[in-house]
Amino acid sequence: MMVTMKKTSNAEDRHPFWDQADQLRKNKTAMAGLIIILVFVVCAILAPVLSPHNPIEASLYDQLKPPVWYEAGTSKNLLGTDDLGRDILSRILYGARVSLLVAVVSVGIAFFTGSLLGAISGYFKGFIDNIIMRIMDIILAFPHILLAIVMVAYLGPSLKNAMIAIGVIYIPRFARIVRGSVMEECEKDYVAAARAIGAKDMRIIFNAIFPNCLGPLIVQTTLGFASAILDAAALSFLGLGAQPPTPEWGAMIAMGRSLILRAWWVMTIPGLAILFAVLGFNLFGDGLRDALDPRMRD
Amino acid sequence: MSSSGRSNHKLWNQKLMLPYILRRILIMIPTLLGVSIIVFFMLHVTPGDPAELLLGERATDEALLQLREHLGLNEPLYIQYGMFLKRLLKGDLGETIWTRQKVWIEVKQRFPATIELSIAALIISCVFGIFFGIVSATKQYSILDYLSMIGALVGVSMPIFWLGLVLMLIFSLHLGWLPMSGRLSIGIELETITNIYSLDALLTGNWAAFKDAVWHLVLPAFTLSTIPMAIVARMTRSSMLEVLKQDYIKTARAKGLSRFAVTMKHAFRNALIPVVTTIGLQFGVLMGGAILTETIFAWPGVGKWMYDAVMQRDYMVIQGGTLFIAAMFVTINLVVDVLYAVINPRISVR
């Protein structure tokens, strides 16, 4: 056991994963992104522990308290309160949960559906491929986010429907990546070899071909998290996503909009939270792309 | 490439260009049909009676009956879809629920405002995006490069509805420099021709109105331009870096040409093609962003109209507006693709 481990750690036959990990570790901006993501995830998971107050409990004596650095601010509400006296810091922390949930669920929907459709498309080619790709074209015929808005308008405004809608509009991105790689890999000898030993289609797709397009898929997933958080916030801002009193960042901005002159912090702080979370995923996603997918490098 | 080679290529391309365009238009048809199917069936898979959804809760029985008859709601779905398509081809998008006006007329009234906003945003994003992209590429790894690339990343990571509100807070409410919303100040007279106010003001030589219209444009257009600006800047930078590595750039420098001349004449012109494509693809971003931007700045365009329709559950407007925007988007993408093929001699139209 020891012997074989030593052998694989030789520089020559090191798994390319370690080279990629090294490259990623040296990339300062990617690491900054990773740190932001970790902070975001920790906030989301530990929200009940970290939050000083209940995020949805109104406190009528604490309405519109400014942040602590103002004279009228108190250490009881570090980032101030909204018009119902709810603590903004607590709402931001719980909002991280909502955003993380949206990102994981909607990108998850897109990842699985898109990969499956792409794999089927690229593997079987011909008629099925044509049908699937035309459907993808139709989804792409709607300008970004419009289809999601329209879907939610019909399905009814709720966080669940917003996640479904965002998931659906992201399907083509994943389908295209997988289809392309599957088509490329299908030409190679190892697929012919797998076929020759009698492997079934699904087994070839998932055991032999799929691992080969993981790189671009991981990149797309990371960048997808970033845009899913943005799009979900936009839907909630328009009143089509999370409904009150859910502490969602986009919905908080919508609520703070009418208070823009009296209490700027109610609207501004959730926006900064969105900006940082999205920036984290974008920074890390760019670094991943440089490391994993040299073809797509800027 | 010799000049005869180039003209041969041109000839060859011209011969193939028409079939290429026709083929692209043919491919567009199933896509648009698909869009119409989606828009049509969304109404019918929504729980509840479509007639009631379309007319609203307070509709009279008589009106409901009339609409059911008109839309053939008692017929099987495929026949209903056929009728829907037939009306569409005649340009009939139905009537709005609240204002009882033809949807098509409302689109026509509002679209110029969206065009004005989108074009202004596109101009801003091109000018600044290309500028920062070139500066970044020529001074790679300098502070300027880092700053503009971080700026570009922040630009794509920012919720634009939030940026719009923050800009409004700073520039309209605190500093009072720019108007908060709308397209014209009250009391400014303008004779409308195209309904693109800044253009109309120019055409009628109305300077006061022109200044006012442009003044109203600044904040919403800048808000809408951030994402395309960031994308254009990144694309320009990477394309320029690619070109600056080429031998002919060294040759041009060795000939003694100034750095500026080399950058602009030799490098930038060659780096332009991918940038132009990227710019063309930004229309989708702009159309989607227009819904958010127009809502915030009360800009009376198609985006705000769609948002209002979603809020009031005016499904006729949602249906018609979605079809219209998707059709515009597909058409613009087609035009961009064709222009791309025309500009770029290296692309084969096969």
Side-chain angles (χ1 to χ4, degrees):
Chain A
M1 192 66 196
M2 279 305 287
V3 181
T4 50
M5 286 228 344
K6 258 190 189 149
K7 216 174 175 186
T8 48
S9 65
N10 268 350
E12 275 165 38
D13 40 40
R14 220 158 74 121
H15 193 277
F17 171 80
W18 297 110
D19 292 332
Q20 288 162 348
D22 273 351
Q23 200 192 335
L24 196 60
R25 218 174 32 230
K26 278 182 211 137
N27 187 336
K28 274 184 214 140
T29 49
M31 284 301 105
L34 185 63
I35 291 170
I36 298 176
I37 294 173
L38 287 177
V39 170
F40 169 65
V41 172
V42 166
C43 285
I45 294 171
L46 296 182
V49 183
L50 296 172
S51 299
H53 299 275
N54 182 329
I56 54 177
E57 200 176 41
S59 165
L60 296 176
Y61 292 109
D62 296 320
Q63 284 174 8
L64 296 180
K65 283 261 176 70
V68 65
W69 56 88
Y70 274 78
E71 242 173 70
T74 56
S75 54
K76 190 180 160 204
N77 304 104
L78 289 178
L79 295 178
T81 59
D82 63 11
D83 54 344
L84 295 175
R86 296 176 296 195
D87 180 47
I88 290 183
L89 176 62
S90 308
R91 287 179 71 74
I92 294 282
L93 289 169
Y94 273 92
R97 285 194 148 188
V98 180
S99 287
L100 186 65
L101 177 79
V102 171
V104 171
V105 173
S106 49
V107 176
I109 293 173
F111 183 97
F112 285 109
T113 325
S115 305
L116 190 69
L117 289 176
I120 293 172
S121 223
Y123 193 79
F124 295 107
K125 303 194 178 81
F127 183 68
I128 301 177
D129 175 36
N130 241 316
I131 293 287
I132 293 178
M133 281 302 123
R134 283 298 82 74
I135 295 174
M136 296 300 115
D137 282 351
I138 292 166
I139 296 180
L140 292 171
F142 293 92
H144 187 74
I145 213 181
L146 174 71
L147 183 58
I149 290 176
V150 173
M151 277 175 74
V152 179
Y154 281 107
L155 295 172
S158 76
L159 190 62
K160 189 185 98 195
N161 290 337
M163 291 193 283
I164 295 174
I166 295 171
V168 170
I169 62 172
Y170 287 1
I171 289 175
R173 310 180 177 186
F174 291 95
R176 287 189 158 185
I177 293 176
V178 175
R179 175 178 178 267
S181 324
V182 169
M183 279 190 162
E184 199 177 300
E185 298 296 321
C186 268
E187 305 293 313
K188 294 192 178 153
D189 287 342
Y190 73 92
V191 174
R195 262 202 205 115
I197 60 168
K200 296 222 166 60
D201 285 342
M202 280 298 142
R203 190 186 154 84
I204 298 178
I205 292 178
F206 287 100
N207 288 6
I209 299 178
F210 200 62
N212 281 300
C213 48
L214 264 184
L217 274 180
I218 292 172
V219 173
Q220 192 53 250
T221 304
T222 315
L223 296 174
F225 281 151
S227 43
I229 293 174
L230 269 183
D231 290 344
L235 285 177
S236 296
F237 175 76
L238 293 175
L240 297 171
Q243 300 298 311
T246 313
E248 202 276 347
W249 294 339
M252 287 168 76
I253 297 177
M255 224 200 65
R257 199 183 152 188
S258 54
L259 304 166
I260 188 167
L261 264 183
R262 272 204 296 162
W264 61 268
W265 57 90
V266 181
M267 181 212 87
T268 315
I269 294 170
L272 288 175
I274 300 176
L275 172 59
F276 273 103
V278 175
L279 187 65
F281 282 108
N282 274 336
L283 285 171
F284 189 60
D286 279 357
L288 274 177
R289 178 165 54 198
D290 290 347
L292 296 179
D293 192 8
R295 273 173 305 177
M296 279 179 67
R297 210 173 287 180
D298 268 357
Chain B
M1 201 189 277
S2 72
S3 65
S4 74
R6 190 174 291 160
S7 63
N8 270 344
H9 184 96
K10 223 174 182 174
L11 215 68
W12 176 78
N13 242 358
Q14 267 166 5
K15 241 184 359 203
L16 286 171
M17 197 51 85
L18 197 64
Y20 169 73
I21 295 172
L22 286 178
R23 204 168 53 235
R24 284 301 314 264
I25 293 175
L26 280 180
I27 296 175
M28 214 171 98
I29 293 170
T31 310
L32 285 176
L33 272 179
V35 168
S36 73
I37 289 175
I38 289 189
V39 170
F40 171 77
F41 279 97
M42 255 189 217
L43 182 66
H44 290 269
V45 297
T46 310
D49 173 13
E52 214 176 289
L53 282 178
L54 290 178
L55 287 179
E57 283 158 13
R58 279 169 292 172
T60 59
D61 287 345
E62 198 186 338
L64 284 174
L65 214 67
Q66 215 178 356
L67 184 75
R68 279 201 201 103
E69 188 99 337
H70 179 64
L71 297 176
L73 288 177
N74 302 320
E75 306 281 341
L77 268 186
Y78 66 93
I79 294 187
Q80 286 187 39
Y81 174 69
M83 291 166 72
F84 171 73
L85 209 58
K86 217 164 136 189
R87 284 196 302 273
L88 259 188
L89 289 178
K90 279 190 270 177
D92 180 8
L93 293 170
E95 278 180 3
T96 68
I97 295 172
W98 298 102
T99 53
R100 291 268 151 237
Q101 212 178 23
K102 288 270 175 215
V103 169
W104 177 238
I105 293 179
E106 295 226 335
V107 170
K108 269 201 293 200
Q109 277 171 359
R110 287 172 169 80
F111 194 51
T114 303
I115 297 243
E116 184 179 32
L117 180 60
S118 308
I119 289 179
L122 203 61
I123 292 172
I124 296 174
S125 54
C126 289
V127 170
F128 287 98
I130 290 175
F131 174 77
F132 285 118
I134 292 179
V135 169
S136 270
T138 46
K139 305 245 184 289
Q140 203 189 359
Y141 303 128
S142 70
I143 297 224
L144 261 175
D145 181 24
Y146 279 118
L147 280 183
S148 47
M149 283 308 112
I150 288 172
L153 254 173
V154 170
V156 292
S157 306
M158 202 152 26
I160 63 164
F161 52 94
W162 175 76
L163 174 70
L165 289 172
V166 170
L167 291 176
M168 190 192 274
L169 178 68
I170 299 173
F171 292 100
S172 331
L173 294 172
H174 279 309
L175 299 172
W177 289 352
L178 293 162
M180 222 176 116
S181 59
R183 296 179 74 188
L184 272 186
S185 304
I186 300 164
I188 298 270
E189 299 272 327
L190 177 65
E191 190 188 334
T192 54
I193 304 165
T194 57
N195 254 327
I196 297 176
Y197 285 0
S198 48
L199 186 67
D200 287 346
L202 273 186
L203 289 176
T204 52
N206 187 345
W207 283 108
F210 179 72
K211 199 183 145 216
D212 193 61
V214 170
W215 226 223
H216 277 82
L217 252 177
V218 175
L219 278 186
F222 186 79
T223 304
L224 187 55
S225 76
T226 43
I227 292 178
M229 190 195 297
I231 297 173
V232 169
R234 294 181 73 170
M235 193 67 217
T236 308
R237 176 178 182 266
S238 63
S239 177
M240 279 293 282
L241 286 176
E242 196 62 36
V243 172
L244 286 172
K245 268 188 261 168
Q246 305 295 322
D247 285 338
Y248 61 78
I249 298 295
K250 277 188 206 130
T251 315
R253 284 288 291 151
K255 277 198 306 191
L257 290 178
S258 76
R259 197 172 280 275
F260 182 77
V262 174
T263 308
M264 294 316 291
K265 274 200 188 144
H266 296 251
F268 179 61
R269 279 177 64 173
N270 283 298
L272 198 59
I273 287 167
V275 176
V276 169
T277 323
T278 315
I279 292 169
L281 294 176
Q282 298 314 309
F283 272 104
V285 179
L286 290 174
M287 291 264 186
I291 297 185
L292 292 161
T293 315
E294 289 181 1
T295 306
I296 292 164
F297 290 100
W299 188 264
V302 175
K304 180 165 187 313
W305 179 61
M306 287 282 288
Y307 169 74
D308 292 340
V310 169
M311 289 296 113
Q312 300 168 337
R313 310 188 140 259
D314 192 329
Y315 289 97
M316 269 318 214
V317 172
I318 301 177
Q319 219 177 39
T322 311
L323 274 171
F324 175 76
I325 295 179
M328 284 307 297
F329 182 46
V330 173
T331 314
I332 289 170
N333 279 350
L334 172 87
V335 172
V336 171
D337 273 4
V338 170
L339 281 181
Y340 182 51
V342 174
I343 302 170
N344 188 355
R346 274 171 292 194
I347 195 172
S348 135
V349 292
R350 262 177 207 281

